[in-house]
Amino acid sequence: MVVNAISPQVDKLVLVDNASANINEVQSALASERYVWIKNDANLGVARALNQLMEFADSNSFEWMLTLDQDGICDENYVEKLSATINSNDDKINNIAMIAPLIIDRGEVGSEIKSTAPTGKPLPETEDVSFCITSGSLTNVKSVLAIGGFNEWLFIDEVDREICLRLLQNGYKLVRVNTVELCHEHGLKTITRKVLWKKVVYHNYTPFRVYYQTRNLVYMLRKYGSAYYPQPYKRWFRLFFAFCVKFVNEPDRIQRLKAFCRGLREGMAIKL
């Protein structure tokens, strides 16, 4: 369990709950004076939860916050190894905002294990990167708060990538420690279809997620352009191609179509 693995490694463990139906059961199972609960009356989204963590850390004089979700698996020396970078005298980690591990994605059962880094060649111990996920990363609290925190309008999808882009634009650095690994599992089952001569594998999200994925993708393409995706026009094409592949044969395709169209409309309408 994530909580049991990370609890001995940190000074304080803060858990944010976005109105879970079984919150009383979970809280009873995790009863400890070392745990701090932030309980929201409604689902306020991932971005709001992350901001609540940053605000708690700042008000309690913590400089760094390790953020985790339910599918990140840390070893017993994880925090010690990752935080060693903070005390390094290497000039290239000055003005650092996030320290990330090497993500190992186990994916589906029987699937090939994938890494965030290219395989087949040696990696430096640490390196500057342009993106890292918040799960498993150490975040400098002051840096994130200085640029306005996580974008709560995004709610869930693209929250990680958006904060990374803003941090970089404001002169901060993202560093990946390639000697520290975090096992990460996606959790959703994949669907495989054959489109013309090509096999297409994708995750079958609910209409709720389809709306946010579409809306936020459109927003990111409009706001950040090539900084977000090197060839934006290709991402626009993929958006509509994915719509055709994913929704045509699904049983709830009408709901997905409505969610997609609503997301597209609102993503185009939001002022940048």
Side-chain angles (χ1 to χ4, degrees), residues 50-51 53-65 95-98 138-150 163 166-167 170 172:
L50 288 167
N51 280 335
L53 291 174
M54 296 301 126
E55 290 160 5
F56 174 89
D58 188 50
S59 63
N60 287 274
S61 301
F62 288 104
E63 295 181 16
W64 294 86
M65 172 70 76
N95 211 28
I96 184 174
M98 296 180 74
L138 278 173
T139 300
N140 184 278
V141 177
K142 295 290 186 184
S143 298
V144 168
L145 293 179
I147 65 167
F150 293 85
I163 194 71
R166 262 191 301 128
L167 284 168
N170 283 274
Y172 294 101

Side-chain angles (χ1 to χ4, degrees), residues 105-114 185 188-190 192 199 201:
D105 189 355
R106 296 190 178 279
E108 299 299 311
V109 176
S111 67
E112 183 178 341
I113 294 177
K114 298 179 180 179
E185 299 186 37
L188 282 179
K189 294 182 178 179
T190 57
T192 303
K199 182 175 72 171
V201 181

Side-chain angles (χ1 to χ4, degrees), residues 191-207:
I191 293 176
T192 303
R193 295 194 187 282
K194 190 172 183 180
V195 181
L196 300 177
W197 63 89
K198 187 175 182 180
K199 182 175 72 171
V200 179
V201 181
Y202 61 91
H203 293 97
N204 195 17
Y205 290 99
T206 64

Side-chain angles (χ1 to χ4, degrees), residues 9-262:
Q9 303 185 47
V10 295
D11 296 322
K12 184 76 70 175
L13 187 66
V14 187
L15 301 103
V16 179
D17 176 73
N18 266 329
S20 299
N22 63 337
I23 179 57
N24 292 331
E25 178 184 346
V26 174
Q27 193 169 9
S28 177
L30 298 176
S32 171
E33 293 181 357
R34 294 186 63 248
Y35 300 167
V36 175
W37 284 88
I38 298 175
K39 294 189 288 185
N40 296 322
D41 295 330
N43 184 359
L44 304 181
V46 171
R48 178 58 192 148
L50 288 167
N51 280 335
Q52 288 175 306
L53 291 174
M54 296 301 126
E55 290 160 5
F56 174 89
D58 188 50
S59 63
N60 287 274
S61 301
F62 288 104
E63 295 181 16
W64 294 86
M65 172 70 76
L66 174 70
T67 51
L68 285 165
D69 55 26
Q70 77 285 355
D71 52 12
I73 304 172
C74 303
D75 65 33
E76 60 182 9
N77 298 314
Y78 183 85
V79 174
E80 180 183 353
K81 291 186 292 186
L82 205 62
S83 60
T85 307
I86 299 173
N87 302 318
S88 170
N89 292 320
D90 193 337
D91 290 338
K92 78 175 185 177
I93 68 165
N94 290 338
N95 211 28
I96 184 174
M98 296 180 74
I99 304 173
L102 186 67
I103 300 295
I104 306 298
D105 189 355
R106 296 190 178 279
E108 299 299 311
V109 176
S111 67
E112 183 178 341
I113 294 177
K114 298 179 180 179
S115 164
T116 54
T119 58
K121 56 183 179 180
L123 294 170
E125 184 174 338
T126 63
E127 63 180 316
D128 293 351
V129 292
S130 59
F131 170 69
C132 56
I133 64 174
T134 53
S135 180
S137 292
L138 278 173
T139 300
N140 184 278
V141 177
K142 295 290 186 184
S143 298
V144 168
L145 293 179
I147 65 167
F150 293 85
N151 187 334
E152 295 183 16
W153 181 82
L154 293 174
F155 195 78
I156 181 168
D157 287 287
E158 302 294 346
V159 171
D160 292 0
R161 196 168 293 277
E162 199 275 341
I163 194 71
C164 288
L165 285 169
R166 262 191 301 128
L167 284 168
L168 291 172
Q169 288 180 349
N170 283 274
Y172 294 101
K173 292 183 179 181
L174 314 174
V175 172
R176 186 175 65 206
V177 183
N178 293 316
T179 56
V180 181
E181 295 181 353
L182 177 75
C183 292
H184 187 274
E185 299 186 37
H186 198 282
L188 282 179
K189 294 182 178 179
T190 57
I191 293 176
T192 303
R193 295 194 187 282
K194 190 172 183 180
V195 181
L196 300 177
W197 63 89
K198 187 175 182 180
K199 182 175 72 171
V200 179
V201 181
Y202 61 91
H203 293 97
N204 195 17
Y205 290 99
T206 64
F208 173 84
R209 285 296 298 277
V210 168
Y211 161 71
Y212 281 108
Q213 287 176 333
T214 305
R215 188 196 72 165
N216 295 355
L217 175 61
V218 171
Y219 169 83
M220 294 291 287
L221 284 169
R222 290 179 59 219
K223 185 173 180 64
Y224 295 103
S226 59
Y228 167 65
Y229 200 84
Q231 296 174 304
Y233 71 91
K234 287 188 176 181
R235 195 63 185 89
W236 282 104
F237 175 79
R238 286 183 58 193
L239 173 65
F240 290 101
F241 177 77
F243 164 74
C244 295
V245 172
K246 292 182 181 181
F247 303 160
V248 169
N249 295 317
E250 297 302 330
D252 55 351
R253 57 185 174 274
I254 299 301
Q255 290 81 4
R256 292 170 187 271
L257 174 61
K258 289 180 179 179
F260 178 86
C261 291
R262 181 185 167 210

